[in-house]
Amino acid sequence: MSKLIITGGKQLEGTITVSGAKNAVLPIIAASLLCAEPIRLEDAPDLLDVNIMNQVISALGAKVVRKGSTLEIQASSIDCIEAPYELVSQMRASIVTMGPVLARQGHVRISHPGGCAIGSRPINWHLKGLEALGADVRMDHGFLDVTAKELKGARIYLDYPSVGATENIMMAAVLAQGTTLIENAAQEPEIVDLATFINEMGGKVRGAGTSIIHIEGVQELHGTTHTVIPDRIEAGSYMLMAAATGGNVLVQNVIADHLKPLIAKMEESGIDISEEGDGIRVIGDGNYTAVDIKTQVHPGFPTDLQAPFMAFLTRAKGTGLITETVFENRFMHVDELKRMRAEIKIEGRSAVVQGIQRLNGAPVTATDLRAGAALILAALTAEGTSEIRGIQHIDRGYEKVEEKLSRIGGNIIRSE
């Protein structure tokens, strides 16, 4: 089993480039099923999750070819309406193939999806939205069987601004008759990128990035070339690593507006942050103060940066409070950080982090994707050597992480 071996104590210095956004490219790959003509996706990261999604749409009939950071996709026909269980069970995001396959074929079968065990993420909002568009949903031997003779636009209010539900409904509504209104929609930048891609194919989506999205149905879509937005979570993770090691790093290929909550909290803690072109420079001196954060749906502090921020706080001066409101089981990294001598106390859905001068290197295990990033950050700042196992989780969301960090001074290698 592969592991990362990291010797801490070195300042990170130089330039690191962020890849395309995992959480943007996955629904965009799924949306490629809406169109029979060729699709070209640029800056598509070579990640485990992306490879799984490519396999899912290939099993449904699409042809996918990777050329460097570009994906060429053609779904001239959809030969199968059932996404393979062995793939869907590995990655929760595969649920977003439901909307486009239903819109294109009028029938889709999919099992309950898998992914990181960070808490309950019910799909009832997805199903309510599709039913409002005219779909019939049945459970059949562990599969969701969704059919629709015809999809018609509808007014849909989401009880919770679910990203996946917003994406699924948006994609299904693109080829529906009439106009669909999604109220209390998710507002994440990845939603905006999906809408941009759909519009580039000839769709008519307005309001993405706000709580109300309008979709006017069209009869068909055409091929296009689209460049995926930068990954704000990868960027934020590297910003925190640079700051925690007392480094001076230019994080390139970043949209600063996507990281406002993180930037505000890092500046509040005493980190020097400035924009330079399409990048953000982070300068730390190793001395920063603890702050409190509370995760929220966008535009609040992102839950995906909670674990790396907790690792950042382990070396801050004072005590910081982290409150997790999005997922109920997203503190699994705490016990692993404690193995490195971190002082963290869990109180319900909050974690109290007491900063200490230095963590100790230790053997630890990544329990999920963002926990893995937190352990990398902790190991980079720790005294001695750490071994991080469970790095298949890290490979789901951080492209060539050891190569990127090595280029800016991180003492990190991958060992088989």
Side-chain angles (χ1 to χ4, degrees):
M1 186 69 72
S2 297
K3 57 187 176 183
L4 292 176
I5 301 176
I6 302 174
T7 300
K10 293 190 66 177
Q11 295 178 335
L12 300 181
E13 295 185 350
T15 299
I16 192 167
T17 302
V18 173
S19 301
K22 174 184 84 83
N23 290 336
V25 75
L26 295 178
I28 287 173
I29 292 171
S32 299
L33 296 172
L34 290 165
C35 175
E37 296 182 5
I39 298 295
R40 181 182 173 91
L41 301 180
E42 298 180 343
D43 207 4
D46 190 1
L47 299 168
L48 181 59
D49 274 13
V50 176
N51 294 334
I52 292 174
M53 183 63 87
N54 288 340
Q55 292 178 58
V56 171
I57 69 166
S58 295
L60 296 170
K63 295 180 180 179
V64 185
V65 177
R66 177 178 283 279
K67 296 180 179 179
S69 62
T70 298
L71 292 178
E72 295 178 352
I73 303 172
Q74 176 136 22
S76 53
S77 63
I78 295 180
D79 306 321
C80 177
I81 52 88
E82 183 176 305
Y85 169 77
E86 61 272 15
L87 295 175
V88 175
S89 62
Q90 296 180 52
M91 186 183 66
R92 183 171 186 83
S94 52
I95 193 72
V96 296
T97 58
M98 189 164 53
V101 174
L102 179 66
R104 185 93 178 266
Q105 297 296 101
H107 189 190
V108 63
R109 280 172 56 84
I110 192 167
S111 64
H112 281 279
C116 284
I118 57 175
S120 174
R121 290 181 282 183
I123 61 171
N124 57 304
W125 300 306
H126 301 241
L127 303 180
K128 281 180 62 178
L130 296 179
E131 286 176 329
L133 294 173
D136 177 63
V137 180
R138 293 183 297 111
M139 277 296 297
D140 180 25
H141 295 88
F143 277 78
L144 290 165
D145 192 277
V146 186
T147 57
K149 292 183 179 179
E150 184 178 65
L151 292 176
K152 293 185 178 180
R155 185 170 185 167
I156 300 166
Y157 179 85
L158 294 177
D159 294 329
Y160 179 84
S162 161
V163 172
T166 300
E167 292 167 343
N168 248 332
I169 297 166
M170 187 191 309
M171 289 186 280
V174 168
L175 297 180
Q177 290 188 13
T179 300
T180 297
L181 189 70
I182 307 175
E183 297 179 302
N184 197 30
Q187 302 177 46
E188 276 74 1
E190 294 79 14
I191 297 290
V192 178
D193 204 32
L194 175 60
T196 299
F197 172 66
I198 291 171
N199 289 342
E200 289 169 350
M201 291 192 294
K204 297 181 179 180
V205 181
R206 294 184 294 111
T210 75
S211 62
I212 301 176
I213 299 177
H214 299 256
I215 305 107
E216 184 180 338
V218 298
Q219 287 192 330
E220 61 182 5
L221 299 171
H222 57 73
T224 191
T225 296
H226 177 78
T227 300
V228 180
I229 60 172
D231 195 311
R232 61 192 172 104
I233 306 303
E234 182 190 10
S237 299
Y238 293 146
M239 289 168 62
L240 288 166
M241 291 175 194
T245 61
N248 183 338
V249 176
L250 177 62
V251 184
Q252 281 192 325
N253 192 32
V254 179
I255 299 175
D257 280 353
H258 293 175
L259 288 162
K260 285 182 178 179
L262 175 66
I263 291 172
K265 285 298 178 179
M266 290 182 70
E267 289 181 332
E268 183 183 339
S269 74
I271 303 301
D272 184 2
I273 296 177
S274 59
E275 292 185 44
E276 292 186 17
D278 70 343
I280 296 176
R281 183 170 294 280
V282 178
I283 302 175
D285 61 4
N287 296 309
Y288 53 93
T289 57
V291 294
D292 299 338
I293 65 166
K294 182 178 182 180
T295 65
Q296 295 174 317
V297 296
H298 193 80
F301 194 96
T303 181
D304 280 351
L305 284 174
Q306 178 257 105
F309 202 90
M310 181 183 292
F312 169 77
L313 287 180
T314 60
R315 294 199 58 242
K317 291 183 177 179
T319 302
L321 178 67
I322 294 178
T323 304
E324 173 61 56
T325 72
V326 180
F327 293 119
E328 71 277 9
N329 194 28
R330 207 160 200 181
F331 286 148
M332 291 189 293
H333 48 281
V334 170
D335 286 341
E336 299 303 304
L337 289 173
K338 283 184 175 181
R339 290 173 59 83
M340 304 177 75
R341 208 168 65 88
E343 296 184 7
I344 306 169
K345 183 180 179 181
I346 302 297
E347 297 179 354
R349 296 187 70 160
S350 295
V352 180
V353 185
Q354 175 64 54
I356 61 175
Q357 186 172 10
R358 181 73 67 180
L359 298 174
N360 289 338
V364 290
T365 300
T367 53
D368 61 77
L369 170 56
R370 306 308 173 184
L375 295 178
I376 291 174
L377 188 155
L380 288 170
T381 67
E383 186 175 272
T385 300
S386 300
E387 292 186 3
I388 303 177
R389 299 179 184 273
I391 64 173
Q392 71 275 10
H393 295 295
I394 298 170
D395 290 338
R396 290 184 50 229
Y398 293 87
E399 184 177 34
K400 300 177 181 177
V401 64
E402 69 275 15
E403 294 181 23
K404 290 185 178 184
L405 288 172
S406 293
R407 291 192 198 108
I408 58 172
N411 191 337
I412 173 173
I413 61 171
R414 180 180 295 250
S415 176
E416 299 300 329

